[in-house]
């Protein structure tokens, strides 16, 4: 029985046509084995909005601005925009009294909302990158009773994602932080459409999302044997910035190389080797 099965397998093997056999073995019709390269696998991500610059090249220019430079070597190029005057002798929230520089430093809701009042010229091109200034929306929700450390994880999840995709992903995570951030993103998206008249708010991405602790209200809890412990009720501000266009596609400073790119880099190294002191 075993001998009959082996003979039948050999018979069927020889019945296969040569072209089909070559196709099964991974060879092309001319007999050469098909070799896939990274260029065959790579698909373009599109172009930067309102330009013919590839998206990867545009984000490479923008990320390059974050490289540290010495102040003496820095070349500050003038930018043209209009911003309303900020009276530094008064508190930004309109309260009475002299503003204390030791309080309210860092990012505050007033400073974040002030960015929405800055007016840029139409079709303005950033002189540092050569790319047009994209429309953006600054939004903040104040005084949320939640921990800033737990909110940070939700912000990292939605960071640099498409706004609709971020809302969908946050909806699947049944945690308080994700549900709060989902509502904040929905408010920012609705505000972009109604207040700032963005034509396609679904094509915006979450450029920034971060929490900052605003205030701590202390309470007390009584335990047995007259033991009292302090309770800290933490409140945070959640800041969100939506920007037009597609994000960089990675949450790192630079995109990690995949296997195809590493293979081509290794091939380039092998082909560049030389024999020292050769003829």
């Amino acid at each position: 029985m075993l001998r009959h099965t082996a003979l039948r397998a050999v018979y069927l093997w020889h019945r296969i046509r040569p072209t089909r056999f070559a196709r099964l073995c991974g060879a092309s019709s001319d007999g050469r084995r098909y070799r896939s390269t990274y260029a065959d696998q790579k698909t373009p991500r599109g172009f930067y909005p309102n330009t013919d610059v590839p998206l990867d090249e545009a984000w490479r220019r923008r990320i390059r601005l974050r490289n540290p430079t010495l102040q003496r070597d820095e070349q500050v190029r003038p930018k043209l925009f209009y911003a309303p005057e900020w009276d530094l002798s008064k508190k930004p929230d309109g309260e009475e009294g002299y503003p204390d520089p030791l309080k309210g430093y860092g990012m505050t809701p007033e400073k974040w909302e002030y960015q929405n009042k800055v007016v840029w010229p139409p079709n303005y091109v950033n002189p540092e990158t050569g790319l047009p200034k994209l429309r953006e929306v600054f939004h903040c929700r104040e005084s949320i009773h939640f921990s800033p450390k737990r909110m940070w994880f939700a912000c990292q999840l939605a960071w640099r994602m498409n706004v609709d995709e971020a809302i969908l992903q946050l909806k699947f995570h049944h945690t308080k932080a994700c549900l709060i951030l989902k509502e904040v993103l929905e408010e920012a998206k609705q505000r972009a459409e109604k207040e700032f008249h963005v034509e396609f708010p679904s094509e915006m991405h979450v450029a920034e999302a971060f929490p900052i602790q605003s205030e701590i209200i202390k309470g007390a809890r009584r335990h047995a044997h007259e033991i009292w412990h302090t309770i800290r009720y933490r409140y945070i501000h959640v800041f969100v910035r939506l920007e037009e266009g597609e994000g960089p596609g990675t949450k790192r400073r630079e995109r990690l190389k995949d296997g195809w790119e590493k293979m081509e880099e290794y091939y380039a190294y092998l082909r560049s080797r030389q024999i020292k002191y050769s003829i």
Side-chain angles (χ1 to χ4, degrees), residues 132-195:
K133 177 73 175 176
L134 300 181
R135 288 175 289 185
E136 51 190 5
V137 176
F138 295 81
H139 180 65
C140 173
R141 179 186 281 193
E142 305 179 29
S143 300
I144 303 175
H145 184 197
F146 199 67
S147 169
K149 293 183 179 180
R150 292 165 63 187
M151 178 60 71
W152 182 83
F153 291 100
C155 292
Q156 288 296 308
L157 172 64
W159 179 44
R160 290 186 172 180
M161 291 178 62
N162 180 270
V163 58
D164 287 347
E165 181 67 21
I167 292 174
L168 184 62
Q169 293 294 332
L170 293 171
K171 184 179 179 181
F172 292 147
H173 290 72
H174 299 287
T175 61
K176 183 179 178 181
C178 292
L179 296 179
I180 291 175
L181 185 58
K182 180 181 74 69
E183 295 176 359
V184 175
L185 290 178
E186 289 175 349
E187 293 174 1
K189 181 183 174 183
Q190 184 178 7
R191 191 176 177 190
E193 182 180 4
K194 299 294 182 61
E195 183 176 347

Side-chain angles (χ1 to χ4, degrees), residues 2 19 26 35 49 51-52 56 62-63 79 83 96 132 147 153 167 182 237:
L2 183 61
T19 55
R35 293 179 297 176
T51 62
D52 55 354
D56 294 335
R62 293 184 57 174
I63 294 176
K79 296 182 179 180
E96 297 181 357
S147 169
F153 291 100
I167 292 174
K182 180 181 74 69
H237 301 322

Side-chain angles (χ1 to χ4, degrees), residues 81-145:
F81 60 89
Y82 167 77
E85 294 291 337
W86 189 305
D87 192 356
L88 299 178
S89 62
K90 298 181 181 179
K91 293 185 177 181
D93 51 4
E95 296 182 0
E96 297 181 357
Y98 186 78
D100 189 356
L102 299 180
K103 296 182 180 179
Y105 57 87
M107 184 53 63
T108 60
E110 292 79 18
K111 296 177 184 178
W112 195 253
E113 187 64 29
Y114 180 80
Q115 302 293 331
N116 287 326
K117 302 177 183 178
V118 177
V119 181
W120 296 86
N123 302 325
Y124 179 76
V125 177
N126 193 335
E128 297 173 340
T129 59
L131 301 172
K133 177 73 175 176
L134 300 181
R135 288 175 289 185
E136 51 190 5
V137 176
F138 295 81
H139 180 65
C140 173
R141 179 186 281 193
E142 305 179 29
S143 300
I144 303 175
H145 184 197

